[in-house]
Short mmCIF file of all heavy atoms in Angstrom, two decimals:
data_model
loop_
_atom_site.label_atom_id
_atom_site.label_comp_id
_atom_site.label_asym_id
_atom_site.label_seq_id
_atom_site.Cartn_x
_atom_site.Cartn_y
_atom_site.Cartn_z
N THR A 228 4.76 23.45 -2.88
CA THR A 228 4.62 22.91 -4.24
C THR A 228 5.97 22.46 -4.79
O THR A 228 6.07 21.37 -5.38
CB THR A 228 3.98 23.98 -5.15
OG1 THR A 228 2.71 24.31 -4.60
CG2 THR A 228 3.81 23.47 -6.56
N VAL A 232 6.42 18.57 -5.87
CA VAL A 232 6.77 18.24 -7.26
C VAL A 232 8.13 17.55 -7.32
O VAL A 232 8.28 16.49 -7.95
CB VAL A 232 6.79 19.53 -8.12
CG1 VAL A 232 7.52 19.29 -9.44
CG2 VAL A 232 5.38 20.04 -8.36
N ASP A 249 -2.66 17.29 -6.96
CA ASP A 249 -2.68 18.74 -6.79
C ASP A 249 -3.99 19.15 -6.15
O ASP A 249 -5.06 18.97 -6.75
CB ASP A 249 -2.51 19.41 -8.16
CG ASP A 249 -2.25 20.90 -8.03
OD1 ASP A 249 -2.39 21.44 -6.91
OD2 ASP A 249 -1.91 21.53 -9.05
N ASP A 251 -4.45 22.32 -4.83
CA ASP A 251 -4.42 23.78 -4.71
C ASP A 251 -5.03 24.39 -5.96
O ASP A 251 -4.60 24.08 -7.07
CB ASP A 251 -2.95 24.23 -4.53
CG ASP A 251 -2.84 25.73 -4.30
OD1 ASP A 251 -3.86 26.45 -4.43
OD2 ASP A 251 -1.73 26.18 -3.98
N PRO A 252 -6.07 25.25 -5.79
CA PRO A 252 -6.70 25.90 -6.96
C PRO A 252 -5.70 26.66 -7.84
O PRO A 252 -5.97 26.91 -9.01
CB PRO A 252 -7.69 26.87 -6.33
CG PRO A 252 -7.95 26.36 -4.97
CD PRO A 252 -6.70 25.65 -4.53
N GLN A 253 -4.55 27.05 -7.28
CA GLN A 253 -3.54 27.72 -8.11
C GLN A 253 -2.91 26.77 -9.11
O GLN A 253 -2.24 27.20 -10.05
CB GLN A 253 -2.47 28.34 -7.22
CG GLN A 253 -2.99 29.59 -6.53
CD GLN A 253 -1.98 30.20 -5.60
OE1 GLN A 253 -0.80 29.88 -5.65
NE2 GLN A 253 -2.45 31.06 -4.72
N ALA A 254 -3.07 25.47 -8.87
CA ALA A 254 -2.66 24.44 -9.83
C ALA A 254 -1.18 24.49 -10.19
O ALA A 254 -0.78 24.07 -11.28
CB ALA A 254 -3.51 24.51 -11.09
N SER A 255 -0.34 24.99 -9.29
CA SER A 255 1.08 25.09 -9.67
C SER A 255 1.80 23.74 -9.66
O SER A 255 2.79 23.58 -10.38
CB SER A 255 1.83 26.13 -8.83
OG SER A 255 1.22 26.34 -7.60
N ALA A 256 1.31 22.78 -8.90
CA ALA A 256 1.92 21.45 -8.99
C ALA A 256 1.61 20.82 -10.35
O ALA A 256 2.45 20.17 -10.97
CB ALA A 256 1.45 20.54 -7.85
N SER A 257 0.38 21.04 -10.84
CA SER A 257 0.00 20.51 -12.16
C SER A 257 0.89 21.10 -13.24
O SER A 257 1.46 20.37 -14.06
CB SER A 257 -1.46 20.85 -12.47
OG SER A 257 -2.30 20.48 -11.40
N THR A 258 1.00 22.43 -13.26
CA THR A 258 1.85 23.04 -14.29
C THR A 258 3.31 22.68 -14.07
O THR A 258 4.06 22.57 -15.04
CB THR A 258 1.67 24.58 -14.33
OG1 THR A 258 1.80 25.07 -13.02
CG2 THR A 258 0.33 24.97 -14.89
N GLY A 259 3.69 22.48 -12.83
CA GLY A 259 5.08 22.12 -12.51
C GLY A 259 5.51 20.78 -13.10
O GLY A 259 6.71 20.54 -13.28
N VAL A 260 4.54 19.92 -13.40
CA VAL A 260 4.88 18.67 -14.08
C VAL A 260 4.31 18.66 -15.50
O VAL A 260 4.15 17.61 -16.12
CB VAL A 260 4.42 17.41 -13.30
CG1 VAL A 260 5.16 17.29 -11.98
CG2 VAL A 260 2.90 17.41 -13.07
N GLY A 261 3.99 19.85 -16.00
CA GLY A 261 3.58 19.98 -17.40
C GLY A 261 2.16 19.53 -17.70
O GLY A 261 1.83 19.23 -18.83
N ALA A 297 -5.18 19.90 -10.86
CA ALA A 297 -6.18 20.81 -10.32
C ALA A 297 -6.41 21.93 -11.32
O ALA A 297 -5.61 22.13 -12.23
CB ALA A 297 -5.70 21.39 -9.00
N ASP A 335 -0.23 17.95 -2.72
CA ASP A 335 0.16 19.35 -2.57
C ASP A 335 -1.04 20.15 -2.07
O ASP A 335 -2.03 20.29 -2.77
CB ASP A 335 0.66 19.91 -3.92
CG ASP A 335 1.22 21.31 -3.78
OD1 ASP A 335 1.79 21.61 -2.71
OD2 ASP A 335 1.10 22.10 -4.74
N PRO A 433 9.55 25.44 -13.00
CA PRO A 433 8.10 25.36 -13.24
C PRO A 433 7.66 26.02 -14.54
O PRO A 433 6.74 25.54 -15.20
CB PRO A 433 7.49 26.09 -12.04
CG PRO A 433 8.52 26.03 -10.98
CD PRO A 433 9.84 26.07 -11.70
#
Side-chain angles (χ1 to χ4, degrees):
T228 301
V232 164
D249 191 350
D251 184 351
Q253 286 178 15
S255 25
S257 309
T258 50
V260 295
D335 186 32

